[in-house]
C-alpha cells in the first residue's frame, strides 16, 4: 500500500475558542498548530483563516501571513480552503488561490450544512477549477454528497481539472452524507480508477472512518475543523494529539506514514 498521507485540518470555519479553547485562530497560533501536526506526522495542512475578532475570513493577506509563517517552520503542503464559511461569496472564497499554493480545496456541489446551505453553483465550480488550473494549484475535490463525484468527472471532461484526481470525502456533516461504512465504500467505488482519496469523518465518526481508510489504502484527515474530542466526553488537547493517534494506529497496522515530499509524489504535485 502507498504510505499514509495525514491531513491536519486545524481550524475550520465553524468552531470557536469558546467551544474548543485550544483552537488556533491567529496566524501564529495556526502556524504553530500546523508545525506540531507536522512533527507528529501530518504532510498536508488544510488551512482556514480567521480575522482579528476570530471570525472566518478568506482575505488574501491573512492567508499569505499564515502560509509564510508555516513555510518558515516546515515543508508541509499548505492547502488553503476555498470553501470558507457558508456565508462567504465565491469571489471571497477564491482569494487564497492567488497565493499559488501547491493545493487548494474545490467543493464540487451544493449540500445542506447543519441549519445552513453550502452553496457551490456550477458556474462558480468551473471558475474555481479554471483559476486553479491557470495557477498550477492541485485541487482536492471536496465531496459531501455522492453527486459531487459526477460533477468532478464533468470537470475532467471540460478540461478544467486533470487526472489523477484527489478526493476528500467529508462524511457525517448534519444534513449531508452520513458517515457509515457503506457510505464510504459507495464513494470509494464511484471515483475514477487511479484517483487517490482521503476521508474526513465529522465528530465521533472521525476515528472509525480514519481506521477504515488506513485499512483500505485511503488517506486520513483529522483536526478541530472536523472533530474537537479525543474521545466521548473528553476534549482533545491539541490538533497534534489527534494526528499522534492516527500515526500510532497506522504503525500498528503496518502502514507507513508519508513525509510531505512523499505525499507530493503520491499526489502528483
Ligand atoms: N466550512 C465549510 C462551509 C473547504 O474547506 O473547502 C466548507 C469547507 C470546505 O470547510
Ligand atoms: Zn475546510
Amino acid at each position: 500500500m502507498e504510505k499514509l498521507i495525514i491531513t491536519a485540518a486545524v481550524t475550520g470555519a465553524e468552531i470557536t475558542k469558546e467551544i474548543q479553547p485550544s483552537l488556533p485562530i491567529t496566524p501564529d497560533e495556526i502556524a504553530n498548530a500546523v508545525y506540531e501536526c507536522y512533527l507528529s506526522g501530518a504532510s498536508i495542512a488544510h488551512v482556514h483563516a480567521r480575522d482579528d475578532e476570530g471570525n472566518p475570513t478568506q482575505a488574501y493577506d491573512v492567508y499569505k501571513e499564515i502560509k509564510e509563517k508555516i513555510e518558515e517552520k516546515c515543508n508541509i503542503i499548505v492547502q488553503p480552503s476555498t470553501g470558507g464559511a457558508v456565508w462567504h461569496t465565491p469571489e471571497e472564497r477564491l482569494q487564497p488561490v492567488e497565493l499559488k499554493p501547491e493545493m487548494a480545496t474545490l467543493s464540487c456541489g451544493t449540500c445542506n450544512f447543519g441549519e445552513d446551505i453550502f452553496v457551490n453553483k456550477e458556474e462558480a465550480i468551473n471558475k474555481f477549477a479554471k483559476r486553479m488550473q491557470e495557477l498550477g494549484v492541485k485541487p482536492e475535490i471536496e465531496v459531501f454528497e455522492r453527486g459531487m463525484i459526477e460533477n468532478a468527472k464533468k470537470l475532467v471532461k471540460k478540461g478544467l481539472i486533470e487526472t489523477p484526481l484527489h478526493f476528500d470525502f467529508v462524511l457525517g456533516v448534519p444534513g449531508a452524507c452520513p458517515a457509515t461504512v457503506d457510505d464510504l465504500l459507495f464513494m470509494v467505488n464511484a471515483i475514477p480508477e487511479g484517483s487517490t482519496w482521503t476521508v474526513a469523518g465529522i465528530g465521533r465518526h472521525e476515528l472509525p472512518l480514519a481506521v477504515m481508510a488506513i485499512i483500505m489504502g485511503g488517506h486520513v484527515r483529522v483536526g478541530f475543523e472536523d472533530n474537537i474530542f479525543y474521545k466521548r466526553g473528553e476534549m482533545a488537547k491539541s490538533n497534534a494529539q489527534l494526528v499522534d493517534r492516527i500515526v500510532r494506529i497506522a504503525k500498528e497496522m503496518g502502514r507507513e506514514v508519508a513525509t510531505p515530499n512523499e505525499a507530493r509524489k503520491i499526489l502528483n504535485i
Side-chain angles (χ1 to χ4, degrees):
M1 259 185 213
E2 268 165 353
K3 288 192 180 182
L4 178 71
I5 299 171
I6 301 174
T7 299
V10 297
T11 304
E14 288 78 28
I15 304 296
T16 62
K17 264 205 199 287
E18 285 70 45
I19 298 172
Q20 171 43 280
S22 305
L23 185 77
I25 296 267
T26 65
D28 280 312
E29 287 172 352
I30 292 172
N32 287 336
V34 165
Y35 184 55
E36 281 177 23
C37 291
Y38 159 81
L39 293 177
S40 294
S43 47
I44 300 178
H46 171 64
V47 175
H48 282 253
R50 299 289 177 105
D51 65 17
D52 292 340
E53 274 81 52
N55 297 314
T57 175
Q58 287 296 105
Y60 174 91
D61 287 344
V62 186
Y63 273 96
K64 182 167 185 285
E65 194 180 343
I66 294 169
K67 184 170 177 285
E68 287 172 357
K69 285 189 183 308
I70 294 172
E71 285 169 351
E72 274 168 25
K73 292 177 185 290
C74 60
N75 70 341
I76 198 166
I77 298 165
V78 180
Q79 179 202 81
S81 169
T82 67
V86 286
W87 41 267
H88 283 131
T89 64
E91 291 69 31
E92 285 173 312
R93 285 169 48 186
L94 196 50
Q95 292 176 84
V97 170
E98 299 302 314
L99 289 165
K100 298 186 193 153
E102 290 177 279
M103 290 184 98
T105 53
L106 178 62
S107 291
C108 277
T110 296
C111 63
N112 282 54
F113 198 88
E115 290 171 358
D116 299 301
I117 300 174
F118 182 36
V119 178
N120 292 286
K121 287 189 178 179
E122 187 173 6
E123 188 191 358
I125 299 170
N126 290 346
K127 191 175 160 197
F128 282 28
K130 186 162 181 286
R131 193 63 186 143
M132 287 188 206
Q133 191 177 53
E134 284 165 357
L135 297 176
V137 179
K138 167 120 184 169
E140 176 180 271
I141 297 153
E142 304 301 301
V143 174
F144 296 76
E145 289 282 10
R146 168 69 179 84
M148 298 186 192
I149 296 173
E150 300 313 302
N151 291 339
K153 290 177 186 169
K154 251 166 89 179
L155 291 178
V156 175
K157 282 206 182 123
K158 287 183 200 160
L160 291 172
I161 55 176
E162 281 116 45
T163 56
L165 303 180
H166 178 63
F167 292 89
D168 176 31
F169 305 125
V170 187
L171 302 184
V173 171
C177 185
T180 68
V181 168
D182 282 345
D183 285 300
L184 179 61
L185 292 175
F186 186 47
M187 295 288 188
V188 172
N189 289 331
I191 59 178
E193 212 174 307
S195 304
T196 47
W197 61 272
T198 189
V199 69
I202 301 302
R204 67 184 187 280
H205 304 294
E206 181 173 86
L207 184 59
L209 289 187
V211 172
M212 277 195 69
I214 293 168
I215 297 167
M216 291 169 66
H219 303 281
V220 171
R221 182 172 109 172
V222 291
F224 289 167
E225 173 164 349
D226 305 327
N227 166 46
I228 56 173
F229 290 98
Y230 189 71
K231 57 185 176 196
R232 191 181 167 91
E234 184 183 318
M235 285 274 177
K237 290 187 183 68
S238 66
N239 280 284
Q241 188 190 20
L242 298 170
V243 175
D244 285 336
R245 173 165 60 184
I246 299 302
V247 171
R248 282 199 306 275
I249 295 170
K251 281 189 177 154
E252 283 292 322
M253 298 179 92
R255 185 109 189 253
E256 285 182 66
V257 173
T259 63
N261 282 341
E262 288 167 342
R264 287 181 173 93
K265 278 208 185 107
I266 293 167
L267 297 171
N268 267 286
I269 294 179

